[in-house]
Amino acid sequence: MTRPPTVAQRRVIDAADPVTGRLKGTDAQLAALVKRGLAFRHPRPPHDHFLTPAGHRIREAPEPTAAPEPPAAPADSGVFTARIGGEENAMGGPSRTREVHSAWQGLLELRRMTHRDGAVDRPCGWERTHLVQAAALALEAAGHRPAEGEGPGYRVRATPQPEAVAVREPDAEALRACAATLEKAGWQVGEHTEPRTGVRYVLASPRRA
């Protein structure tokens, strides 16, 4: 079994950017993570280090020790969360638009770096482990409006099916537009009808090739 990372290495992994996986640490710490296959050094200047898929799995796994939980991150900590629809009093405006654009560009860069062929037209490993967030980011970045509270707009939710999310939007035309956006972003999509209610929804899964 692979030896777990040291406490210092785990701190570096946990502090990685939640979208791109960019790491900050000493040269020795970063080199050790690269040696263990948990990080890689970007070949182009400024030669930043990023988590590999294995590193992302470590980051998502719970701490193996019984150490006390760290304090929760403050609201202004800079951690980005895509809007899945249904949030109350969601803030918008130019600053949110910039955040969404930056997060989407970071995700495209993560695709390029983690796919062997450098492709950005299909989801990467991070997206497959964060299906709802990944689909919601694609929709929000394309300008679709998430639902606020019980109001109109898209809603992205997990489903019992592996690697699939459901997207609901009460407006039929807007629902088709959401499907087109996800398809363009590298997702396989199909429209379905709920048997009891007759409501149409989109089922989306990350495309592999």
Side-chain angles (χ1 to χ4, degrees):
M1 184 175 179
T2 305
R3 182 168 52 89
T6 66
V7 174
Q9 290 171 346
R10 179 70 193 229
R11 279 199 296 265
V12 173
I13 292 171
D14 288 344
D17 185 280
V19 174
T20 65
R22 181 179 277 115
L23 295 161
K24 293 182 180 179
T26 66
D27 290 343
Q29 288 172 332
L30 297 174
L33 291 175
V34 170
K35 185 176 180 181
R36 301 183 60 174
L38 301 177
F40 67 94
R41 183 173 182 264
H42 199 284
R44 296 192 308 193
H47 301 298
D48 288 331
H49 288 73
F50 298 84
L51 290 175
T52 62
H56 277 285
R57 288 193 293 272
I58 291 288
R59 187 176 187 275
E60 296 300 324
E63 290 279 3
T65 66
E69 289 290 324
D76 61 350
S77 64
V79 176
F80 174 85
T81 302
R83 299 210 171 116
I84 66 173
E87 297 90 346
E88 297 284 353
N89 302 317
M91 297 296 292
S95 61
R96 177 64 185 182
T97 300
R98 288 193 296 270
E99 288 178 358
V100 172
H101 176 75
S102 177
W104 178 247
Q105 292 304 312
L107 185 54
L108 292 179
E109 179 69 4
L110 183 60
R111 288 182 177 188
R112 186 183 68 79
M113 290 185 302
T114 55
H115 286 143
R116 290 185 178 181
D117 58 0
V120 297
D121 62 349
R122 63 181 184 273
C124 61
W126 182 88
E127 291 170 271
R128 297 179 190 285
T129 57
H130 300 77
L131 294 170
V132 172
Q133 282 288 315
L137 176 55
L139 293 174
E140 192 176 358
H144 297 281
R145 186 178 69 173
E148 183 174 343
E150 298 300 320
Y154 72 76
R155 299 172 189 271
V156 184
R157 297 293 185 266
T159 72
Q161 299 186 40
E163 289 203 352
V165 296
V167 179
R168 291 175 172 81
E169 161 63 76
D171 182 272
E173 185 175 346
L175 180 64
R176 287 192 293 270
C178 287
T181 290
L182 288 172
E183 189 170 19
K184 185 178 178 181
W187 294 65
Q188 292 179 327
V189 300
E191 280 197 43
H192 299 267
T193 302
E194 293 181 349
R196 294 190 202 176
T197 63
V199 173
R200 299 287 288 173
Y201 68 97
V202 165
L203 197 65
S205 300
R207 184 165 53 84
R208 290 191 175 275

